[in-house]
Amino acid sequence: MRRALRLLAAETGMVLRERLTWAVLAALFAALLLGAHTGAVRVEAERAALATLAAEEGRAVVAAREAYARYARATPVKINYWQDPTNAFGYMTQFLTVHAVKPPTPLAALATGQSDVQPSFMRVSFGSSTVFDDVAYELGSAARLKLGAFDLAFVLAVLVPLAIIALAGTRLSVERDSGTLRLIAAQPIGPRAVAGAKFGAVAGILVVAVLGQTGLALWLTGAIRSLAGSGVTLGLLAGALAAYILVWVAACALVATLWRGAVAALSILVLAWTLFTVAVPAAASIAVDCLTDKPSRIAAIDASRQVQDAFANGGAGPRLTAQWLARIPGAAGRADLVEAPEIKRLARDAHYDVQLDARRESFRAHDRESAALSRWLALASPVTTFDFALQRAAGTDAGRHAAFLASAAAYRRTLRAFFEPRIVAQALNPVPVCAGCQARLDFDAYDDVPRFQPSIDLTAGRRGALMALAWLIVLAGGLALSARARLKAWPA
């Protein structure tokens, strides 16, 4: 044990004296700073956008109150419902300004994930009906999306393995090429002790350096303002990062046991990096498409068109409206209400929801199934395993967006349940509020309109980080044991 510690200390000193070590660590730190800065800027932009939305909602309420005060005076001018924010139906369909929002998590700066193509907010309105939940996308530059985001997750998951290969890829192999390996083998020491010292030194230096540099980059860029319940998740991610580094160091050790020389060792490791960074994720994406039954958006659009056409032009509208009215106390037999625009709209939307709900649910089920399958297929590569853990901790994964879409749809139903009885009550008994007033003046409960309650599931990120940590430890242990088994004796 004492000899092993002396060897480890000697190798650590040698690695630290190499210029390549400091060049690689300096380049890696610059990349980490840029990645953390990119994440911090993105999160600040999301927070600013949400603040803008809140201000917009506030201005809409102020404008509605001003209109109420202005319209509460007699005037000969007729005010249509689509111009009248004091009309419950007009306000719901034309003036309502509310949003479903997906606020950034405390660790959102760690990974862009799907957030560059999936919106963090959607305006909830009743101006039109659709079979899809995901209708508010702002994709931006197609070229920029194709290149992807240079975020912290990209640096840690993709570039850190290259740094490890640069520092550990030729350990033992370069000694073989130079002939030094024969001199080492002539000493009373086994290959396991030598390899343990060489790769252990690199592993120790890299774990300390990468963890320290990552923390420093996050602190300098202000990417993480507050942990707010994410301290355990961040600790698990730090452990997963250390295990991820050990996976690649162990892979370098295993390749070194092939005794193929430095060039061959680097070639094998770069090919392995390409396989697990490019080929396996691409294959997993194809597998998700093949293993999940994706509903047809064209078929859904066609079904929506047919339902709307049948209601508006197929003669079913009056009958369905009368059936909808029959369930309301005091409305049965009120033939005058069948052609009222607000009643027709409420009946139409209720009919659409019933007819198209199965298709909406099929899209939601596909999103949930795809997200769950992707998490399991990610385990096929250490790169995707660690990257998915970062995305789940950051709250930028596809699973969280699917949950956001579902909550936005539920919020829309809540809003309709709020407005519907008020609209129906005025339609049943249209009592004038003031003599000569052409506005409806039946709605002023602007502050009572339900607000969207965003939620952040911190346990999902914790579970993802724990799963990644456990799996990466297994991979690192398996590779290390395989390398140890092959290092029974020096090569002939």
Side-chain angles (χ1 to χ4, degrees), residues 31 56 135 139 160 357 438 443-444:
E56 180 184 345
V135 294
L139 295 181
V160 164
D357 189 61
Q438 297 299 314
F443 181 76
D444 62 351

Side-chain angles (χ1 to χ4, degrees), residues 25-77:
L25 292 180
L28 188 59
F29 183 54
L32 287 168
L33 278 174
L34 180 57
H37 173 71
T38 300
V41 170
R42 177 181 57 79
V43 172
E44 284 302 316
E46 289 182 4
R47 292 194 176 109
L50 297 185
T52 301
L53 295 181
E56 180 184 345
E57 293 176 2
R59 287 194 297 270
V61 171
V62 170
R65 291 191 180 283
E66 292 176 349
Y68 193 98
R70 187 170 60 254
Y71 290 170
R73 294 190 295 268
T75 175
V77 179

Side-chain angles (χ1 to χ4, degrees), residues 162-176:
L162 291 177
I164 296 170
I165 292 172
L167 295 181
T170 58
R171 301 290 161 183
L172 287 182
S173 301
V174 72
E175 280 85 351
R176 178 186 181 279

Side-chain angles (χ1 to χ4, degrees), residues 8 17 34 65 88 127 190 194 198 255 257 262 341 411 449 451:
L8 180 61
R17 287 192 295 271
L34 180 57
R65 291 191 180 283
V194 174
K198 287 184 174 294
V255 171
T257 64
Y411 177 53
V449 175
R451 313 292 296 178

Side-chain angles (χ1 to χ4, degrees), residues 6 193 195 199 333 379 410 451:
R6 287 202 301 269
F199 292 102
L379 299 177
R451 313 292 296 178

